Structures are given as C-alpha cells and as structure tokens.
Amino acid sequence: MAASLVLALVVAVTVRAVLFRSSLAEFISERVEVVSPLNSWKRVVEGLSLLDLGVSPYSGNVFHETPLIIYLFHFLIDYAEFVFMTVDVITAVALYIVADDYNKVVFRKQRHSFECQRYAPDVITLVRTPKEMYHIPLKVALFYLLNPFSVLTCVAKSTCAINNAIIAIFVLATVKGSAFISAIFLALATYQSLYPIALFAPALLYLAQKDHVSVNLHCGAFYVYFLKYAVMFLGCLLVSLCLSFFLLSSWSFVPSTYGFILSVPDLTPNIGLFWYFFAEMFEHFRLFFVCVFQINVFFYTLPLSVRLRDHPMFFMFIQIAIIAIFKSYPTVGDVALYMAFLPMWSHLYRFLRNIFVVTCMLISSSVLFPVLWHLWIYAGSANSNFYYAITLAFNVGQILLISDYFYAYIRREYHLVTGLHLKSKDGKEAHIVLK
Amino acid sequence: MGLLSDPNRRQVLTNLVTRMNTPLCFLCYLAGITWFMGLAFEPFALRMYTSENAMGSTMVDENFVYGDRALSYSREFSGHGKKAGGMPVDWLVKTMTGLGLETHTQTFTRTLPFPDEIRERYMVKGTNVYGILRASRAASTESIVLSTPVEIRHNNQAGGLLLALASYFRGQIHWAKDIIFLFNEHDMIGMEAWLEAYHDVNVTDISSSVMQGRAGAIQAAITIEMSSDVVTSFDISVVGLNGQLPNLDLVNLFTSFCQKNGVLCTIQGKLPRTDGETLEGYVHSLNTMLMMVLKQGSGKSQGDHGLFLRYHIEAVTIRGINSFRQYKFDMVTIGKVFEGMVRKLNNLLERLHQSYFFYLLPSLSRFASIGYYMPAFIFLLLILLLKALDLWIKLLQVPVCPRDCVEEDVGPGFLSILTPVFICHAMGLALYYVPLLCQDTATDHFPVSETEAVVLTSIAIYVAGLALPHNTQRVLPIEMADCGWMTLKLISILYLALLLGCITLINFSLGFILAVTLVPAAALAQPVSHKMLNALFLLLMSPATVLMLCIYLYHELAEYPITLLECWQLFLQAIAESILDHHLYGSIVYPFIVFFVYPCWLLLWNVVFWN
C-alpha cells in the first residue's frame, strides 16, 4: 500500500510540475473558478511587494490574505511552486492516514456492535469487510491528488491549497485523538478563512467519544471536556491573532480579511452563490441578506450535530462540504477537499439514489464554466445570466450530492438496526420513502 | 424530491425509460428535426425589429452626391493598383492625406504553415493603409471602421466609394465618432494584422509594424466589397469566425436603409419573397436558413468583417452584386445607403447590445432567436440522455459476479475501458500534429505538393484510426462480456452529449449538424446483430463524411450542383482551408473536431467492434 501511495504521489507531483512549466499555468491562474480574490497568487505577490516597500499590505484594497501567510511566503517566495506541491502532498498523506485510522475505528465499532448483538440478523451484506476497506485510504489519496480540481488549484498557486492542508492535518489530529494539536490546527484554519470554525462541533464530538466521555447534555464531564477544548481553541486563535498584530503592529488585517469574507464587497463572478445575488440587490437590503447568506453556513451545524451525534466523522465530511458550497468566495479547491472524502463512504453506494444524475450534472457544469465565461467575457454574445445558470446547476448538483450521501448514511444505519428486508403490517415488503 | 425518492414512482420512471426507450428516442429525433424545419416557416419566426433606441427613433437624411467622384477615384485606384502590382500604397497615402485624413500605413509579414493553393500564397507580405477622420464634436474615444479588401482587378469600385465617402464625410459637421477608412491587403490576413496591432495583442503568429495612429475604441465596422460601377442588389453576410454573429440591430440597420433607398437587399444570395406562407415560399426560406446553418457550421469567416467580432466589435460585410436584372443603382444611391448607416452608427450612445447575438435568418425580415432554435437541439440531446439512462439502468441490473471476485475485476475492467479512451485521444493528437510535422518528409518521398501532403496525411491518419483501436483491445486478457461495451458506450454517449452541449453554445450550427448526424449513429451503435450494417451507418455519419455531405448539400442549395469528383476536390480544399483557418486566425472548428469529436466517434466505432 505504501508503495502505491508513493507511486501516486510521484505521478501527482509530475503532473503538477509539468503543468507549472507549460503555457497553461498562466491561463489557469486567471480562471475565476480556481482563484478567488481571497486566495489568488497575484494578490499575494502584490501584498509581498507592498510589504517590501515598507507599506502595510492591507493599505490598498487588493490583498486579503492573513499576515502569517504573507510572512511565510516572505521567506519562501522563490520556492513557491515547490511549496504548493509539498502542501498538496501533505494533504494527501494526511487524508491517507485519516482514512486508514478511521477504517480501524469503524471496524472495531462494528465488531463491538456485533458482540452486543445490536445489529439485525439479515444485514450481513451491509457489514463492511476488511477486504473492501483495504483500498480506501489509497483511493482517498488518489481522489485528492489526481482530482482535476486540486491539480488546478495547485497549478494556479491558490492559497486554498494551504487551507486544505491545514484542515486535513486538523482532521488527522482529531482522528488520532490529540485534542491539543487538533485545537491548534482548527484555530489556524479558522484564522485562515474563518468558516472552519463550524468544524468545532464535529471535532468536539469525535474527541469526546474517543476519550469515552459520553455525549450527553446532562453529563458534567462533557461540559468540562467542551470547556477544555474551547479554551485550547480560543487560546490558539488568540495567539495567532496577536502574533499577526505584532508582526504588522496594526489591526488593519482584521477588516481586510475577516471583514472582506463576511461583508462580501468583491462581486467578481465565481462558482458560489453570492456574487450574482448581491450584484442584483438593492443596496439597503444588503446587510440583511449578507446575514442570511452567512448564517446559512452555520445554520446546519446544530441540527446535524444532534442527528449525527454518534457519527462525528460523517458529520465532519458534511460540514466541510457545506462550507465549500455556501462560503462567500468558494473555489474548486474547496470542492476538491470534500470530494477526497467520498471513497470513505463508498459502502453507501447501494443506497445512493441520484448518483448518476448528480455526477453528470457536476461534470457537465464544470466543463460549461469556461465555455460560458468565454461567451460572456470574450465573445460578448452571452451575459452574466448564462454563467450564473451554470453556477446554480453546479451548486444544486453539490447539494443533491451531499443530501444523497446524508440520506444514504441515515438509511444504512436504520437498516443495520431494523434489518434489511422490512415488512409492512400486511406482510408485504415495505418501502422507505423520504417525504 | 418526492418523485425521485419514492421507490414506486421511481420504478415507473425506470420502466418508462427502459421499455419505451426506442420509441421515445425516435420521437425525440423526429421532434428535433421537425422543430428545426419549423423555424423557417414564416408564421412561426419572429419579425425583425430594431431594439436600439439611438438607432430607431432618430432621423438622418442622406445627401451624398459624389457618385462621379467615386467612379473617377476607382479608375485611378485601379490604374495605380495595376502599376504597383497590389496595393497602391503611395497613391493612397497621397490621396487620403489630400482629403484631410490622418493617414498611416502598417506593414505585416506572415509565413503560412503550408502553401495556400486556392489563393496562391505562402510567404505573405503586405501593407495596410488607413486614414482617420477625426471627429469634430468629441474627443477621439470612439470610432467606426469602413474597410475594403484590396485585390488586383477586384473590388476597385469599393475602394473608390470609400475615398468618395471620405471626401464627403470630411465636409460634414455631425461626426461624434472618428471614422477609420481602412484598405487592407491580403484580405483576412491583413485584417487580422491590423486588428491585432490596433488592440496591441498578438494572438496569432503574425508579425506587423507598430501602429502609428489610433482612433478610439471601435464601436462598429462595415466591410464593403463591390466590383462594378452599378449594382442591382446588396448581399449582406453576417457569419464571422467560429460562427460568431454580429448584433442583429446591425442587420436591421442595413435592411432599413436599403428599404429607404429602394435598394434590393438579399441574404445568402437569395431574393426576398412575399409568399412566406405558401409551400414554395417556405422551401425558399428553408433553403436560405440551411445555407446560413452550413456556412456558420463551417466556422469560416464569410468576409473580412468576421475577425472584428472577436474584439467585441459588431461588423458585417456588404457586397454589391451586379446581376442581369434590369433595374440598377448608381454610385449616388449606393453612397447614400452607406452614409445613412454610418450616420446612424455615429448616433450610438453605447455599444450595440440590445438586440440578439444568437439567431438564424430564414430571410432578412424574419429571424429565429436562441430561445426558438435551442429546443430543436435539446430534443436531439435528450436522445443521448435517454440512451445513457437506459444503459445505466441495464448496467445496474447486470448480475455482478459474486462478492469476493469484485476486487480482482475492478482493475482490468477499468483498464479495458481506459485503454480505448486513451488510444482514441492519442489518435486525435496524432491527427493534429503529424500532418504538419511530416509535410517535408512526404513531399520528399511522394510526388505531391505540400498542401496535398498535409491533406492526404490527415486523411490517412483518419482512416488508420479505424483499424487501430479494436485491434489493441484483443491484447487485453480479460473481457467482461456485456458490461464492457455497455460501459464504453455509456461513457462515449455522455462524452458526446457534453461535447455537443458545449459547441452548441458557441456555434449552434456546428453543434446541430453534428447532433443530427452523430446522435442516431451513437444511439444505434452496439456490437450485437447486424454488426456490418451498424458499422456502415457509423461510417456514413463520421465527421469526414458529414463534411462531404455538407459540401454537396451546400452546392445543391446554392443552385450550383456539383459532380462527385468536384465534391471530392472541394472536400480536400475544405480540409486544407480549415487547417489554415485554425493556424492563421485561430478558428476552433478544426481542433475541436480533431481533439474531441473524432476520438469520441472512434470510441463508438470501438463499441461496434467490441468482442
């Protein structure tokens, strides 16, 4: 397995290196689907040169990265391509280990359930076997490394790749059960792009269950655990914010990064839902709808944490996907991250209902993005409505994908307990209907 | 969600898709074709109307009187042209400066990838001459282009008219936009050189001298072609590079001024008729529309204006036709038409954007917009989706071998699908690169010219592709019986649907022509029963055969029938021209066919010969 992983890494790095050297690199780094105003490499370079001139990089309205990133690249600017390839490798390896570890956990849990006779007798076909699980870690790594979305992100040198790496390490630390490191990386991810704060809930649930603290609101130990983790997280966040303050000796980065993320002033088209809506809107409704759109990301966290209390890893996946769909400046790099988790749920395949339609939708809309962009911007014959239509199709596809996986997961859990072949009261085979 | 999540209703849908598949597909095809045919029927098509306010409501009166001057200019132009053996640069510069224009020249050179035998050129060297009439009422922020291609013995009258218009416009006081009078040599190559230099970009490998003077952003352009002192009618040509069309308001502008001056105007060389609701009238407008579809599908620019469109500039080419009709128009009337058009364009407050950019023209008074013609294509696309769903459902029902052999099967099964996909695309790459790389070798060893070498090598590789993929498939050890070809067919059908969807948005005609031919071929392709018949049908619907059929059909529609041999000659020419168009102007039709459509078609071929 390790050999296959190394081979995959070599192939992935080669593909990226070749693309870096080709004429496509410049074209890719200009694509609005791949880079957003938040993470475009051009803006990082701009910020760096401002910094070199002794001007605050946030004094203009161009640079929206966090101070730590700019100081990181202050030293590494000459090795940028190498850094981005390494970051992708780190993400893939981290996800590989996550999948490997999580498999062991799942298997242990399954054996435990069998021993307690919690499962219905006829569910043998639903049970996961080591043989089926053996290839999952490699598939996860491959899904990240060879996904065109992540390749494009890397070649465009979008700092989204760094965010992905931080989130991947955070998930790894969580799976390994190390609360402190998990908190550090969660804080870093939040510091980077704000939205990962929603991952606090799944991480807390996972860590608590790993430490055998029962997740129960009447249980004092859980509150203690919650406080411990929250303090660690907030402490790390505070440290990184203060560090940024001392590096620049001003708080000007806060409105330029977090303010920029939250108030959505840049309406450059991207694959998200914000730009068109806010370009069309009357100015005096703006604040209200900004709040509505932003709350959308965090809105699902509470109900999901109730429903998926016992499955924090799946919760984590859903939450990452929700962030990728509803964040204010999404890029394909965010999509690539949650897509890497899909092989971990390959056992849900038989319960997925619309996977064919959804796959077709996602592929066709991602191909149509550049076509409609060309028609709108270069040919001038189409207009923004055409492009937004495809954005909508892409997002509807993503939402259907996530809800399909969610439904399949819940349904499998249901079948595991109640048995695969359900009988209705009159003895006929029953159907489960989602209404 | 109810419909998709309720298993009973889902079952109904599934049954409908699988049992009724063939009749549904047939119905869709019929509906698609009928819809398309219906577009040309006059009562169904929309009547033309001008949307742009600045052009619709304002009046201009045309007073052009320099008809004789135009004729004398054209004599001189032709004389000096013959003396110079091409563009009479010095004379033009002198005359235009004398008229009070700010005159500049621009030289350019371009070496073609291989000799162009039709136009007899290989190492092209030329000069463009242009004069700018500065607007008296505004800063030079916007401009209008009037251009004409300069050729020996052709088009002299257009040159003369342009000069006469320049001298007349010079005395007018209402210009708010600069007017550029452009004489471009070597038709489209010169135009491309001028446009690239004007916008200071280099998208093709043309090398040209630096632009000495510029006017503002070009708002619109009119290209004039005329080779006689009097005309009987004007023909307007709208289709540009890659099938891009100018805003419909520009066409409206042209027709309205032709009507105002009582000049006969045609499109695709077809006279307008008033009996649109009769069968004869319908056939006439169907002919006209089909000719437009074929022209647009070729992706070739039908005149020098086609290159402007890429730069967001609305442009048309207007040709003066002198046929055997009795009633002829002199230079004064012709000049009035152009004067009126330029005056109205001068009134524009913003770029033309109100009217349609996607349309088909069954006549100059009617049009079918994107909303009207898209359903025809969507019906055809629906066939592919129905077939794909059917295959997907069948694939789900195929009993997968017992659970423990799944793992071993996945690897090679996956490989047996991936190999043909890979080989087909490699063929596409070879088809693109090999002919140009090997032209020297081919001319050394065979008694052919460079052009023939390129075209014949392309055809050879194309044909060789038919033999290659299904041979390599036998090398692979395992077969998955039915699943194999079904999976491959599923992939190629979805791939085809994606390709057609993308190209239709860019160039509807190309997409529709490909859909009409490839969709039934793709739907029918399967390795069981009547294999040879299937293969024959697929061969008949291959991109190359379709090109030949289109050439034949075009000449039938143009009422200029050709023999099979002539068709073959034109077919060879068309291939050479499409390669040249791609390299010279960046037309996308050739690479699209070679990189995507041909490999996709090879995949279908592979499906038929799956064993």
Side-chain angles (χ1 to χ4, degrees), chain A residues 263-276:
Chain A
S263 66
V264 207
D266 191 318
L267 300 179
T268 316
N270 56 31
I271 59 168
L273 299 163
F274 278 67
W275 62 274
Y276 188 85

Side-chain angles (χ1 to χ4, degrees), chain B residues 67-78:
Chain B
D68 297 333
R69 198 179 284 193
L71 288 179
S72 67
Y73 272 136
S74 65
R75 304 267 141 68
E76 271 185 76
F77 184 74
S78 129

Side-chain angles (χ1 to χ4, degrees), chain A residues 153-410:
Chain A
T153 307
C154 179
V155 174
K157 293 192 257 187
S158 156
T159 49
C160 178
I162 298 176
N163 289 2
N164 284 355
I166 294 175
I167 294 177
I169 298 174
F170 149 72
V171 177
L172 174 64
T174 314
V175 169
K176 288 280 184 194
S178 144
F180 183 57
I181 299 179
S182 159
I184 290 178
F185 278 94
L186 181 60
L188 276 179
T190 310
Y191 168 77
Q192 264 293 1
S193 59
L194 204 61
Y195 290 108
I197 199 172
L199 298 177
F200 183 87
L204 178 70
L205 290 177
Y206 197 95
L207 288 168
Q209 280 168 23
K210 184 116 183 163
D211 285 353
H212 305 290
V213 178
S214 76
V215 181
N216 191 338
L217 289 182
H218 304 294
C219 168
F222 179 66
Y223 283 106
V224 173
Y225 201 88
F226 170 76
L227 272 180
K228 216 167 69 182
Y229 191 62
V231 166
M232 281 193 285
F233 166 68
L234 288 175
C236 294
L237 194 60
L238 202 67
V239 168
S240 10
L241 286 175
C242 290
L243 193 62
S244 314
F245 172 71
F246 291 127
L247 281 173
L248 290 171
S249 48
S250 95
W251 288 109
S252 62
F253 70 94
V254 174
S256 277
T257 50
Y258 307 125
F260 187 76
I261 292 173
L262 288 176
S263 66
V264 207
D266 191 318
L267 300 179
T268 316
N270 56 31
I271 59 168
L273 299 163
F274 278 67
W275 62 274
Y276 188 85
F277 208 81
F278 285 96
E280 295 287 314
M281 191 176 296
F282 288 120
E283 201 55 36
H284 50 277
F285 291 122
R286 191 183 166 93
L287 182 65
F288 171 68
F289 276 104
V290 162
C291 294
V292 171
F293 270 60
Q294 297 289 9
I295 287 171
N296 209 7
V297 181
F298 307 102
F299 185 73
Y300 307 98
T301 312
L302 200 64
L304 280 175
S305 56
V306 174
R307 187 67 190 80
L308 295 173
R309 198 170 50 237
D310 303 326
H311 313 283
M313 194 61 196
F314 189 71
F315 180 19
M316 184 95 81
F317 159 70
I318 296 275
Q319 188 61 56
I320 291 176
I322 286 176
I323 290 174
I325 298 169
F326 293 117
K327 73 192 282 191
S328 50
Y329 300 103
T331 57
V332 290
D334 301 304
V335 180
L337 180 65
Y338 82 77
M339 280 194 170
F341 285 89
L342 292 180
M344 283 166 70
W345 323 112
S346 55
H347 57 282
L348 302 178
Y349 181 73
R350 58 181 293 174
F351 295 116
L352 291 177
R353 296 157 308 163
N354 304 323
I355 189 71
F356 178 66
V357 179
V358 169
T359 316
C360 291
M361 238 169 125
L362 287 178
I363 293 177
S364 55
S365 47
S366 31
V367 173
L368 284 174
F369 273 129
V371 171
L372 289 170
W373 181 261
H374 169 85
L375 284 181
W376 173 22
I377 300 296
Y378 294 102
S381 38
N383 52 41
S384 59
N385 300 316
F386 288 58
Y387 190 77
Y388 189 62
I390 286 305
T391 311
L392 273 185
F394 187 69
N395 281 303
V396 167
Q398 288 191 85
I399 292 166
L400 281 181
L401 181 79
I402 298 309
S403 47
D404 215 12
Y405 267 94
F406 185 67
Y407 170 84
Y409 196 88
I410 303 278

Side-chain angles (χ1 to χ4, degrees), chain B residues 564-579:
Chain B
L564 268 183
L565 193 68
E566 282 170 320
C567 186
W568 173 253
Q569 290 293 341
L570 286 173
F571 170 68
L572 297 184
Q573 268 179 27
I575 294 176
E577 274 195 54
S578 60
I579 299 176

Side-chain angles (χ1 to χ4, degrees), chain A residues 353-354 375 378-380 434, chain B residues 5 10 244 312 358 407 498 505:
Chain A
R353 296 157 308 163
N354 304 323
L375 284 181
Y378 294 102
L434 178 76
Chain B
S5 62
R10 240 178 125 81
Q244 215 180 328
H312 258 239
F358 298 102
E407 281 303 317
L498 193 59
L505 286 171

